[in-house]
């Protein structure tokens, strides 16, 4: 059997050595391999080499990767691809499998590193440490071309075995080096006898270590020194306390501190926080409370109970004698006023006196008996009442002395005029337009009113609504003119107690100033009660005044708006427009402005407690410019500013400016002004027309008749209520030319010409007696009287003018 095997081996070897006469091409080999894979003969994956001429199995690829790692210890995946001759993709894939299956390998940044490699690196690092004592991990990472975190993670398990060193703050130190630095830290720390910040201690140690290591030495981190210090403290090689990790207080200093505090407190029965700060004790209150539980902490000092007993004895005598004392005068200079007040509140005699209202603490350090204060106050209260009466009288005489701080306006009517009953008509004032010279234009227009039930009570209801809405959200400020100033009060106190004069009135902490501040509110309350009695008497009159003022302004302001609309027809005629604006300002506008200013002035006097006669509040007033200005200045705050603006607008040339300022003042005063709408305008025009028709029918003066006829024609033609002075009648007639027939217009112009002639003759003959002039005047008047029926027929007869 063995012989047969040997024979077969010889034949096989011979067959291998014999060169085949038929060779397969590479293509045939590839096809053959593919065929074998299809037939399942080759049931494993084959990988092509980079050259494409060889096949390699995945298992063989892993074996070759493992062989290269075992040989080099650290190899790049890219280098493996070049060495084995297989595509990088397959090498990376198999390399991950190799690392995954072998815990001794790691794949880092495209490199496979074995633990044997790190062991050898650790041995090299240990050899270097023996030469230089310290090495930075960052330096090693740079040399090995890996991250510092990786180097640190690799070295930590090898410390104490392969690497005889200590890792601290990214540095490797030899045990001898650590012992040397520990000795330096121990010596420096034991040389400190006062509280210090360890960060300041590490800086010179760092410099000393660098000098010791020479130029090649690496800077030592503070954390290395701190860790050594913490270890020494734990081992009790140093005695003291460490706060916040860096504040070191040696035990020798703490002992000296306590001895000094005990000595001072036992001698003086108190110790100030300032002296504690100088001793280096920052939390003085906690320190003293823990050391002296029976003591009392104050604002600036810590005291023993004996200090309170001493002050209690002094204050008890003062209260019994109805006198006063400054507690700071019996306390050391280091005590503040806050300390004095707290001590006073701790005194038993003061506590009982305060509870029984027998004493009072002023200004934190002053204590006064109630009898002492009452004796002074009773005397000053009588003089304060006399002062208030005198100041009130002076305020009435000199309006400029009123307080600028009071800004209260009269109560407002918050409900709108729309809440009045529908269908109510208010007739306007049918004012006659007189053809007289301008110096007679101040005559006030006549009027009549048609009122319905419930009108008289509307303003009072609005006032009640406003008062209920406000309640007490806004209070009137006290008029300072009726309150004695601080200087007056202090002077009266000095008159009663001359010894207070030594403290002076300028010192804010003096007993004089504090006593005056205490008595001032008492005096104010007393004067308030006195004035409250006066105000209660005036309250009903003020409400009636507002209701009357609202009623007067309701109709007058509607008429003013109606007259203003007629001025729009003359905007293109600048000269006549100015005449008409000024005329309306001097007549109707002046009337309602005087009514409002007079009413606000009376209300202001009643509000301030001034007695005003009943008839004076109801009289119709006619004011000149200076009187209006005086009344406006007497009002308070913004009300005065708006009133002065109204007076200025009344002296101007534009009615619209007056209307704006009048609305502003009324709104500020709390009065509600109705706006002229279409319905009200028609109602007022109808009433005005009826009044004019009645006056034209009964007018006997030929001069006055012309103005009434022109006004009536303006209502019929332009639907406007015109108020025109004598010198503007001609311009008004010219605006009727296109609306009247020729004969009617000629009648009107002839009558106006004759009227002007009559007035000119009357003006020229005034003060002189000439028969000739009298005859001419009589003749001209007779002519006008003969034309009066024709003029009445023009507006009242069957021939009506053309409607616009």
């Amino acid at each position: 059997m063995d012989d047969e095997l040997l024979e077969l081996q010889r034949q096989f070897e011979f067959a291998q050595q014999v060169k085949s006469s038929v060779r397969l091409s590479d293509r045939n080999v590839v096809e053959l391999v593919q065929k074998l894979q299809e037939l399942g003969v080759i049931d494993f994956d084959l990988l092509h080499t980079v050259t494409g001429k060889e096949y390699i199995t995945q298992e063989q690829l892993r074996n070759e990767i493992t062989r290269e790692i075992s040989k080099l210890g650290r190899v790049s995946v890219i280098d493996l691809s070049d060495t084995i001759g297989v595509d990088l993709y397959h090498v990376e894939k198999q390399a991950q499998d190799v690392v995954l299956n072998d815990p001794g390998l790691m794949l880092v940044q495209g490199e496979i590193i074995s633990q044997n490699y790190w062991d050898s690196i650790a041995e090299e690092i240990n050899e270097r440490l023996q030469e230089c004592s310290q090495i930075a991990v960052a330096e090693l990472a740079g040399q090995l071309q890996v991250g510092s975190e990786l180097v640190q993670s690799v070295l930590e398990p090898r410390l104490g075995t392969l690497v005889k060193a200590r890792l601290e703050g990214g540095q490797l130190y030899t045990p001898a080096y650590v012992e040397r630095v520990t000795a330096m830290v121990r010596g420096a720390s034991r040389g400190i006898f006062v509280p210090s910040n360890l960060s300041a201690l590490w800086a010179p140690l760092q410099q000393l270590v660098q000098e010791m290591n020479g130029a090649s030495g690496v800077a030592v981190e503070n954390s290395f020194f701190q860790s050594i210090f913490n270890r020494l403290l734990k081992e009790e090689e140093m005695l003291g306390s460490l706060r916040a990790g860096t504040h070191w207080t040696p035990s020798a200093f703490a002992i000296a501190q306590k001895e000094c505090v005990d000595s001072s407190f036992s001698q003086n029965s108190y110790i100030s926080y300032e002296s504690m700060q100088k001793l280096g004790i920052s939390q003085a209150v906690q320190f003293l409370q823990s050391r002296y539980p029976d003591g009392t902490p104050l604002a600036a000092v810590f005291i023993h109970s004996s200090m309170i007993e001493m002050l209690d004895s002094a204050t008890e005598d003062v209260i019994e004698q109805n006198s006063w004392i400054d507690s700071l005068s019996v306390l050391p200079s280091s005590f503040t006023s806050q300390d004095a007040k707290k001590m006073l509140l701790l005194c038993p005699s003061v506590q009982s006196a305060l509870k029984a209202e027998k004493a009072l603490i002023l200004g934190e350090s002053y204590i006064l008996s109630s009898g002492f204060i009452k004796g002074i106050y009773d005397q000053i209260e009588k003089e304060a009442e006399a002062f208030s009466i005198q100041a009130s009288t002076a305020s009435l005489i000199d309006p400029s002395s009123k307080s600028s701080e009071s800004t209260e306006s009269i109560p407002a009517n918050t409900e709108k005029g729309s809440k009045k009953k529908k269908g109510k008509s208010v007739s306007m004032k049918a004012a006659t337009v007189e053809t007289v010279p301008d110096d007679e234009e101040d005559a006030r227009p006549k009027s009549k009113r048609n009122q319905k039930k419930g009108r008289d009570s509307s303003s009072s209801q609005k006032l009640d609504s406003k008062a209920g809405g406000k309640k007490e959200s806004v209070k009137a400020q006290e008029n300072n003119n009726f309150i004695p100033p601080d200087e007056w009060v202090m002077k009266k106190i000095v008159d009663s107690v001359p010894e207070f004069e030594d403290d002076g009135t300028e010192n804010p902490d003096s007993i004089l100033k504090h006593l005056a501040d205490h008595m001032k509110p008492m005096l104010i309350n007393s004067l308030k009660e006195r004035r409250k009695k006066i105000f209660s008497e005036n309250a009903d009159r003020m409400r009636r005044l507002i209701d009357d003022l609202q009623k007067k302004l309701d109709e007058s302001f509607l008429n003013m708006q109606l007259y203003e609309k007629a001025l729009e027809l003359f905007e293109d005629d600048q000269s006549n427009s100015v005449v008409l604006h000024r005329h309306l300002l001097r007549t109707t506008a002046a009337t309602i402005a005087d009514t409002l200013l007079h009413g606000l002035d009376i209300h202001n006097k009643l509000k301030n407690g001034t007695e005003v006669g009943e008839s004076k509040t109801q009289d119709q007033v006619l004011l000149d410019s200076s009187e209006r200005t005086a009344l406006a200045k007497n009002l308070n705050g913004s009300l005065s500013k708006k009133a002065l603006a109204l007076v200025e607008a009344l002296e101007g040339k534009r009615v619209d400016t007056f209307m704006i300022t009048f609305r502003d003042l009324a709104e500020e005063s709390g009065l509600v002004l109705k706006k002229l709408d279409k319905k009200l305008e028609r109602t007022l025009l109808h009433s005005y027309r009826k009044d004019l028709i009645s006056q034209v029918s009964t007018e006997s003066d030929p001069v006055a008749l012309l103005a009434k006829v022109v006004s009536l024609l303006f209502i019929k033609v332009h639907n406007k209520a015109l108020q025109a002075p004598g010198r503007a009648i001609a311009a008004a007639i010219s605006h009727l030319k296109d609306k009247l027939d020729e004969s009617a217009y000629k009648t009107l112009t002839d009558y106006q010409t004759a009227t002007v002639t009559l007035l000119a003759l009357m003006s020229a003959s005034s003060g002189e007696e000439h028969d000739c002039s009298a005859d001419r005047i009589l003749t001209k008047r007779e002519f006008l009287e003969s034309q009066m029926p024709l003029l009445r027929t023009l507006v009242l007869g069957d021939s009506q003018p053309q409607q616009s």
Side-chain angles (χ1 to χ4, degrees):
M1 187 68 181
D2 293 336
D3 294 338
E4 292 178 358
L5 288 175
L6 291 174
E7 182 61 27
L8 287 174
Q9 287 180 351
R10 283 195 298 270
Q11 291 177 5
F12 184 70
E13 183 178 358
F14 177 77
Q16 286 180 331
Q17 291 177 356
V18 175
K19 294 182 179 180
S20 176
S21 58
V22 179
R23 297 181 61 87
L24 295 175
S25 64
D26 294 343
R27 180 180 181 84
N28 297 136
V29 174
V30 170
E31 292 176 352
L32 180 60
V33 171
Q34 291 177 349
K35 188 63 175 177
L36 292 174
Q37 288 178 334
E38 291 176 0
L39 296 175
V41 177
I42 301 176
D43 56 355
F44 48 84
D45 292 335
L46 294 176
L47 302 176
H48 286 285
T49 60
V50 176
T51 60
K53 295 182 178 182
E54 294 179 309
Y55 285 105
I56 185 171
T57 63
Q58 293 183 3
E59 183 179 358
Q60 180 62 27
L61 179 57
R62 288 194 293 270
N63 292 335
E64 293 189 13
I65 291 174
T66 303
R67 189 183 310 115
E68 289 295 325
I69 294 173
S70 300
K71 185 194 305 181
L72 300 176
R74 175 181 178 182
V75 62
S76 171
V77 176
I78 297 175
D79 293 341
L80 284 175
S81 176
D82 295 339
T83 303
I84 301 174
V86 179
D87 186 74
L88 179 61
Y89 171 78
H90 299 295
V91 174
E92 287 181 345
K93 184 177 180 181
Q94 298 305 319
Q96 291 176 357
D97 291 341
V98 170
V99 172
L100 187 63
N101 296 325
D102 189 350
L105 300 178
M106 64 176 64
L107 182 62
V108 180
Q109 296 179 354
E111 291 185 321
I112 302 174
I113 306 176
S114 65
Q115 294 297 328
N116 293 333
Y117 173 80
W118 288 121
D119 291 342
S120 62
I121 292 298
E123 292 175 356
E124 293 178 6
I125 292 173
N126 189 58
E127 292 176 0
R128 289 183 57 187
L129 276 173
Q130 304 308 316
E131 298 175 359
C132 58
S133 300
Q134 60 175 337
I135 300 175
V137 174
E139 180 183 350
L140 294 174
Q143 293 174 356
L144 297 175
Q145 296 182 355
V146 293
S148 299
E149 296 81 2
L150 177 61
V151 175
Q152 187 167 336
S153 65
V154 169
L155 289 178
E156 284 177 350
R158 292 171 172 79
L159 293 175
T161 55
L162 295 177
V163 181
K164 307 294 183 180
R166 176 177 175 177
L167 179 62
E168 187 72 43
Q171 297 280 342
L172 285 172
Y173 305 101
T174 60
Y177 185 84
V178 172
E179 287 298 327
R180 201 158 53 240
V181 175
T182 300
M184 297 171 63
V185 172
R186 184 189 299 110
S189 301
R190 288 179 176 177
I192 298 175
F193 294 98
V194 295
S196 303
N197 192 316
L198 293 179
S199 300
L201 179 63
W202 305 148
L205 284 181
Q206 280 184 337
Q207 184 177 359
L208 184 61
V209 171
Q210 286 183 347
E211 292 176 356
M212 180 179 65
N213 294 335
S216 61
V218 180
V220 180
E221 297 291 335
N222 287 350
S223 59
F224 181 49
F225 293 123
Q226 189 68 44
S227 64
I228 293 175
F229 181 87
N230 292 340
R231 178 171 57 83
L232 293 174
L233 184 62
K234 187 176 181 181
E235 295 172 357
E236 295 185 356
E237 295 195 30
M238 294 176 297
L239 300 178
S241 60
L242 184 65
R243 291 184 298 104
T246 58
H247 298 284
W248 168 247
T249 303
S251 58
F253 180 81
I255 294 172
Q257 268 185 336
K258 294 176 182 178
E259 291 177 352
C260 185
V261 170
D262 290 342
S263 175
S264 177
F265 192 72
S266 61
Q267 292 178 5
N268 303 318
S269 297
Y270 75 93
I271 187 169
S272 66
Y273 301 145
E274 183 180 1
S275 61
M276 298 288 286
Q277 291 285 350
K278 292 179 181 179
L279 291 174
I281 302 175
S282 56
Q283 297 179 346
V285 176
Q286 293 85 337
F287 177 86
L288 292 169
Q289 283 181 326
S290 62
R291 195 159 186 82
Y292 311 108
D294 296 336
T296 303
L298 302 180
V301 295
F302 189 88
I303 61 171
H304 190 265
S305 57
S306 60
M307 295 291 293
I308 298 177
E309 295 173 359
M310 179 270 295
L311 183 61
D312 182 66
S313 176
T315 54
E316 186 176 9
D317 294 340
V318 168
I319 295 172
E320 291 178 355
Q321 297 172 8
N322 280 338
S323 184
W324 70 282
I325 190 175
D326 182 4
S327 57
L328 286 177
S329 62
V330 298
L331 295 175
S333 60
S334 56
F335 282 66
T336 65
S337 57
Q338 295 177 351
D339 298 328
K341 182 175 182 179
K342 191 168 184 180
M343 289 184 68
L344 286 172
L345 294 175
L346 293 173
C347 294
S349 61
V350 175
Q351 292 176 355
S352 59
L354 292 176
K355 187 176 182 180
E357 297 183 352
K358 293 182 179 180
L360 184 68
I361 297 177
L362 295 179
E364 296 184 336
S365 64
Y366 301 100
I367 182 165
L368 303 88
S369 68
S370 299
F372 177 78
I373 296 175
K374 187 177 184 303
I376 300 174
Y377 176 76
D378 290 345
Q379 183 177 351
I380 295 178
E381 184 181 23
K382 298 177 182 178
E383 298 184 13
E385 292 179 359
F387 176 89
S388 177
I389 295 172
Q390 182 180 1
S392 176
T393 305
S395 177
L396 294 177
I397 298 174
D398 183 10
S400 64
S401 65
K402 67 182 181 68
S403 172
S404 61
E405 296 179 2
S406 178
T407 59
E408 179 186 1
S409 62
I410 67 174
N413 295 319
T414 57
E415 297 183 8
K416 300 299 181 182
S418 60
K419 293 188 178 180
K420 298 177 182 177
K421 294 182 179 180
K422 295 183 178 180
K424 178 176 179 179
S425 63
V426 181
S427 64
M428 55 159 281
K429 295 183 178 179
T432 60
V433 184
E434 303 179 12
T435 55
V436 295
D438 292 340
D439 57 356
E440 298 182 12
E441 291 175 1
D442 286 338
R444 297 298 189 257
K446 300 178 181 178
S447 65
K448 66 178 180 179
R449 310 183 65 179
N450 294 325
Q451 299 178 341
K452 288 191 176 181
K453 186 177 180 181
R455 178 67 180 88
D456 295 337
S457 61
S458 62
S459 293
S460 61
Q461 292 172 355
K462 294 175 185 176
L463 178 63
D464 294 340
S465 174
K466 182 64 178 179
K470 280 192 172 181
K471 295 183 179 179
E472 294 181 357
S473 59
V474 180
K475 295 183 179 179
Q477 298 181 0
E478 188 68 29
N479 192 325
N480 289 341
N481 275 1
F482 301 98
I483 300 173
D486 293 345
E487 293 77 9
W488 184 92
V489 177
M490 287 189 286
K491 182 178 182 302
K492 297 303 177 183
I493 294 175
V494 171
D495 292 343
S496 299
V497 188
E499 61 182 302
F500 286 167
E501 188 174 7
D502 297 337
D503 289 345
T505 59
E506 301 298 330
N507 183 10
D509 293 327
S510 66
I511 178 63
L512 180 59
K513 184 67 170 63
H514 290 302
L515 187 56
D517 292 341
H518 172 71
M519 290 186 174
K520 185 72 175 290
M522 298 167 61
L523 292 173
I524 291 175
N525 290 334
S526 175
L527 295 176
K528 277 184 177 180
E529 291 298 325
R530 180 178 174 274
R531 298 193 67 202
K532 184 178 180 181
K533 183 179 179 181
I534 300 176
F535 288 151
S536 62
E537 296 174 356
N538 289 343
D540 293 337
R541 294 185 60 191
M542 290 169 64
R543 283 192 289 271
R544 291 197 305 271
L545 173 66
I546 294 302
D547 288 342
D548 293 342
L549 187 59
Q550 182 74 62
K551 293 174 185 177
K552 292 177 182 178
L553 293 181
D554 278 346
E555 181 180 358
S556 300
F557 191 70
L558 286 174
N559 292 340
M560 187 66 190
Q561 295 178 76
L562 189 66
Y563 299 151
E564 183 186 16
K565 284 182 172 292
L567 301 180
E568 298 172 359
L569 300 174
F570 297 87
E571 289 298 326
D572 296 337
D573 188 355
Q574 189 62 33
S575 59
N576 287 309
S577 177
V578 172
V579 173
L580 292 171
H581 274 265
R582 284 183 172 175
H583 172 73
L584 193 55
L585 287 172
R586 293 179 184 178
T587 53
T588 307
T591 300
I592 62 175
D594 292 347
T595 301
L596 178 58
L597 290 174
H598 178 71
L600 293 179
D601 179 63
I602 297 300
H603 182 276
N604 189 49
K605 291 178 179 178
L606 293 174
K607 180 190 68 177
N608 291 327
T610 305
E611 296 184 4
V612 181
E614 188 69 30
S615 59
K616 186 175 181 180
T617 62
Q618 300 177 355
D619 291 344
Q620 180 70 23
V621 291
L622 300 176
L623 306 175
D624 57 24
S625 178
S626 60
E627 290 173 334
R628 295 185 189 110
T629 303
L631 291 181
K633 289 181 178 180
N634 284 346
L635 300 178
N636 298 319
S638 59
L639 207 61
S640 177
K641 294 180 181 179
K642 294 183 183 297
L644 289 172
L646 175 66
V647 175
E648 183 179 354
L650 195 61
E651 300 294 328
K653 300 179 181 180
R654 298 291 302 178
V655 172
D656 50 357
T657 303
F658 168 80
M659 297 293 281
I660 293 173
T661 56
F662 189 86
R663 285 191 181 96
D664 290 343
L665 180 58
E667 181 180 354
E668 185 72 19
S669 305
L671 297 171
V672 178
L673 297 177
K674 294 183 64 175
K675 187 176 181 181
L676 184 67
D677 55 20
K678 295 294 184 180
K679 183 177 179 181
L680 280 175
E681 184 177 1
R682 288 193 298 269
T683 302
L684 294 176
L685 283 174
H686 178 72
S687 177
Y688 188 34
R689 181 175 180 177
K690 288 178 63 178
D691 286 343
L692 286 176
I693 291 174
S694 176
Q695 292 180 32
V696 168
S697 301
T698 59
E699 183 60 64
S700 59
D701 185 358
V703 176
L705 179 63
L706 177 62
K708 294 178 174 64
V709 168
V710 172
S711 296
L712 187 55
L713 286 173
F714 255 80
I715 293 180
K716 290 184 177 183
V717 173
H718 295 291
N719 206 27
K720 302 288 185 182
L722 178 66
Q723 290 281 305
R727 59 177 178 171
I729 290 297
I733 293 174
S734 66
H735 276 71
L736 299 172
K737 182 177 181 181
D738 297 336
K739 306 299 180 179
L740 301 174
D741 55 39
E742 184 177 352
S743 61
Y745 180 74
K746 185 176 186 304
T747 301
L748 194 59
T749 53
D750 290 346
Y751 194 95
Q752 190 267 340
T753 303
T755 301
V756 172
T757 303
L758 175 61
L759 291 173
L761 291 172
M762 293 172 63
S763 177
S765 64
S766 60
E768 299 180 4
E769 295 182 0
H770 296 287
D771 294 339
C772 182
S773 298
D775 292 342
R776 294 178 62 187
I777 292 173
L778 182 59
T779 302
K780 189 61 67 177
R781 178 176 288 277
E782 290 175 351
F783 170 77
L784 289 174
E785 290 176 350
S786 66
Q787 296 294 316
M788 288 176 66
L790 183 61
L791 202 61
R792 290 192 180 97
T793 303
L794 183 64
V795 292
L796 303 177
D798 296 334
S799 58
Q800 298 297 327
Q802 300 177 16
Q803 298 295 324
S804 58

